[in-house]
């Protein structure tokens, strides 16, 4: 077993690519990234480190059990950080099959491969092996406005095919720990935001719609509440959990940053007004709002649309456990994190333009290690 190797699944996705960047920049390990490269997997998010001597990529579908075993045989990692998942709620409503295959079957394949490797290790090697399963707060269901935040002991109550598939994978991870002695840790995080987020999620949708002069869709009345976690804070927490967390434990990771969707959207519009004023945006030169007025503020682009089925009212994470046990704290708040995020999308327009055009899928970079 290579004592310095971390296997990251889904490392070409949003959180995964941020994690890979962090591991290469701030940790000493060799990093093996496996990713199927679905529509949401983008190797262009990893261009800066793709030739680093401690990084290797393999295009692997975790639903392919033989391919997963081959990766374990080739690299014998000491640490597994499992992030690969289908994660978009709307897509899970339209087509749940892929979510069951990737999130449930794929997780089982990884657990089985890790179990197989564990059995081949010496007692000393087994004592340091770790499997981190990264999950979501959506497995806990929905909160009312007065309910206390989710804790690690909150009963599961998933409401969408996505959250149900993640709840299933959490249960599998715990079962493999209890039944087979696999040294598993689980994290459940709140909504992430930050660099490299695929432009189908709320925050990049708002930013890019505004920059392109399109209407900004908000479900219902925008009253759904989420706890927002800056992705760099999240990946630092993940590293602390796999290095210092107690085997068999679950750690909730949140941003202490609850906001109604409509308030978040208006905040993003406000930041955009400061960084790239609507009055100076050529895409808005001839645009008018619903009242027929010229667009002088991005907020005028907001348009309320029909709510989606099973839309949970509120998520909130109680992060006391990870804060107390591992001394982790989110560093970004409602002002700093969102300003950094808006600025990143302004500074990296080629990255998201290639996604919107589809060019990023036509030129898969670095698919051979």
């Amino acid at each position: 077993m290579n004592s310095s190797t971390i296997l990251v699944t889904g490392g070409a996705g949003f959180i995964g690519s941020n994690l890979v960047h962090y591991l290469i920049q701030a940790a000493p390990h060799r990093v093996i990234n496996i990713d199927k490269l679905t529509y949401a997997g983008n190797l262009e998010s990893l261009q800066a480190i793709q030739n680093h001597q401690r990084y290797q990529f393999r295009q692997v579908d975790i639903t392919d059990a033989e391919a997963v075993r081959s990766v374990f045989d080739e690299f014998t990692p000491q640490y597994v950080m499992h992030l690969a998942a289908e994660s978009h709620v709307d897509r899970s409503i339209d087509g749940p099959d892929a979510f069951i295959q990737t999130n449930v079957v794929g997780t089982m394949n990884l657990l089985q491969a890790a179990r197989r490797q564990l059995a081949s290790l010496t007692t000393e090697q087994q004592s340091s092996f770790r499997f981190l399963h990264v999950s979501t707060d959506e497995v806990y269901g929905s909160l009312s406005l007065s309910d206390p935040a989710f804790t690690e002991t909150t009963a599961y109550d998933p409401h969408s095919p996505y959250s149900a598939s993640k709840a299933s994978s959490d249960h599998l991870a715990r079962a493999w720990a209890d039944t087979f002695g696999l040294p598993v840790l689980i994290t459940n995080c709140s909504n992430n935001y930050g660099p490299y987020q695929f432009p189908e999620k709320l925050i990049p949708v708002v930013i890019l719609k505004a920059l392109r002069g399109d209407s900004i869709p908000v479900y219902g009345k925008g009253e759904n509440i989420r706890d927002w976690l800056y992705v760099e804070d999240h990946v630092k927490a993940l590293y602390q959990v796999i290095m210092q967390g107690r085997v068999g434990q679950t750690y909730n990771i949140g941003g202490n940053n609850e906001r109604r969707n409509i308030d978040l959207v208006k905040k993003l519009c406000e930041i955009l007004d400061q960084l790239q004023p609507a009055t100076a945006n050529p895409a808005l030169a001839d645009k008018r709002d619903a009242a027929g007025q010229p667009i002088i503020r991005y907020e005028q682009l907001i348009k309320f649309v029909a709510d989606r089925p099973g839309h949970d009212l509120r998520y909130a994470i109680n992060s006391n456990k990870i804060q107390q046990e591992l001394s982790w704290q989110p560093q970004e708040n409602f002002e700093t994190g969102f300003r950094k995020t808006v600025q990143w999308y302004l500074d990296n327009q080629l990255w998201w333009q290639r996604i919107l055009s589809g060019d990023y899928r036509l030129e898969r970079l670095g698919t051979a290690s």
Side-chain angles (χ1 to χ4, degrees):
M1 183 176 68
N2 191 316
S3 61
S4 62
T5 297
I6 295 179
L7 174 64
V8 176
T9 74
F14 165 44
I15 301 174
S17 61
N18 279 277
L19 174 61
V20 170
H21 277 286
Y22 177 75
L23 294 174
I24 292 298
Q25 293 164 4
H29 314 279
R30 178 174 66 157
V31 179
I32 311 303
N33 170 18
I34 65 171
D35 198 294
K36 181 182 178 180
L37 296 183
T38 63
Y39 75 95
N42 187 359
L43 288 175
E44 295 183 11
S45 302
L46 297 163
Q47 279 185 331
I49 55 92
Q50 66 178 352
N51 295 318
H52 197 283
Q53 61 181 0
R54 289 191 288 109
Y55 172 74
Q56 290 191 61
F57 172 75
R58 293 286 189 274
Q59 186 170 355
V60 172
D61 182 351
I62 61 171
T63 66
D64 183 341
E66 183 176 350
V68 170
R69 287 194 300 270
S70 295
V71 169
F72 276 81
D73 289 343
E74 181 178 2
F75 296 108
T76 56
Q78 179 179 5
Y79 307 103
V80 179
M81 303 182 78
H82 173 35
L83 291 82
E86 295 283 351
S87 65
H88 191 45
V89 174
D90 289 359
R91 286 179 181 267
S92 80
I93 294 169
D94 294 336
D97 292 7
F99 288 73
I100 302 303
Q101 288 299 313
T102 298
N103 299 353
V104 181
V105 176
T107 296
M108 183 195 70
N109 289 339
L110 286 159
L111 292 166
Q112 284 289 77
R115 175 192 170 201
R116 175 173 171 264
Q117 176 174 303
L118 186 69
S120 70
L121 302 178
T122 65
T123 301
E124 181 179 358
Q125 290 172 332
Q126 289 179 348
S127 67
S128 59
F129 182 78
R130 298 289 184 271
F131 187 107
L132 173 60
H133 175 64
V134 179
S135 190
T136 171
D137 59 358
E138 296 195 37
V139 299
Y140 298 125
S142 182
L143 296 170
S144 71
L145 296 179
S146 60
D147 285 335
F150 301 130
T151 70
E152 290 80 2
T153 59
T154 299
Y156 277 28
D157 185 25
H159 293 161
S160 71
Y162 162 61
S163 57
S165 68
K166 289 300 291 184
S168 299
S169 65
D170 291 7
H171 291 319
L172 290 177
R174 291 192 179 95
W176 261 246
D178 292 344
T179 303
F180 304 115
L182 192 67
V184 167
L185 302 105
I186 297 174
T187 57
N188 295 86
C189 69
S190 58
N191 283 39
N192 278 225
Y193 68 99
Y196 302 113
Q197 188 167 29
F198 194 82
E200 65 180 356
K201 298 297 181 78
L202 176 61
I203 289 174
V205 163
V206 171
I207 296 170
L208 303 191
K209 291 281 190 184
L211 292 177
R212 290 158 63 91
D214 298 331
S215 62
I216 300 171
V218 176
Y219 281 132
K221 297 180 180 179
E223 295 179 343
N224 304 79
I225 296 171
R226 299 294 181 262
D227 175 15
W228 293 96
L229 172 66
Y230 191 60
V231 67
E232 291 181 13
D233 284 334
H234 184 201
V235 300
K236 290 175 183 178
L238 295 179
Y239 186 63
Q240 285 186 247
V241 169
I242 200 166
M243 292 296 152
Q244 304 170 25
R246 290 184 291 137
V247 170
Q249 294 296 303
T250 297
Y251 294 90
N252 280 354
I253 306 171
N256 298 331
N257 191 11
E258 284 188 63
R259 290 294 185 276
R260 294 190 310 163
N261 284 349
I262 187 59
D263 297 328
L264 170 60
V265 172
K266 288 181 177 180
K267 183 65 177 180
L268 294 171
C269 289
E270 175 189 320
I271 295 171
L272 277 169
D273 284 331
Q274 296 166 4
L275 299 179
Q276 186 165 315
T279 52
N281 185 343
L284 292 170
D286 300 318
K287 295 289 181 85
R288 294 181 177 271
D289 63 15
Q293 298 300 310
I295 303 293
I296 60 173
R297 293 177 296 106
Y298 289 105
E299 184 177 326
Q300 293 172 262
L301 294 171
I302 294 173
K303 180 181 180 181
F304 295 101
V305 299
D307 210 350
R308 71 182 180 207
H311 198 177
D312 293 333
L313 173 63
R314 172 176 169 248
Y315 303 144
I317 282 281
N318 181 326
S319 296
N320 288 345
K321 181 176 179 179
I322 190 173
Q323 292 178 24
Q324 293 169 3
E325 289 194 15
L326 304 182
S327 300
W328 173 87
Q329 291 275 355
Q331 300 302 304
E332 305 297 341
N333 58 38
F334 192 59
E335 281 290 337
T336 62
F338 290 111
R339 182 169 291 273
K340 283 184 177 181
T341 300
V342 172
Q343 189 65 62
W344 188 89
Y345 281 92
L346 290 173
D347 292 342
N348 292 272
Q349 295 195 32
L350 180 60
W351 179 86
W352 55 260
Q353 285 170 351
R354 285 176 57 78
I355 292 177
L356 295 181
S357 70
D359 289 346
Y360 79 108
R361 300 195 74 179
L362 299 177
E363 300 176 27
R364 291 297 196 184
L365 301 178
T367 53
S369 61

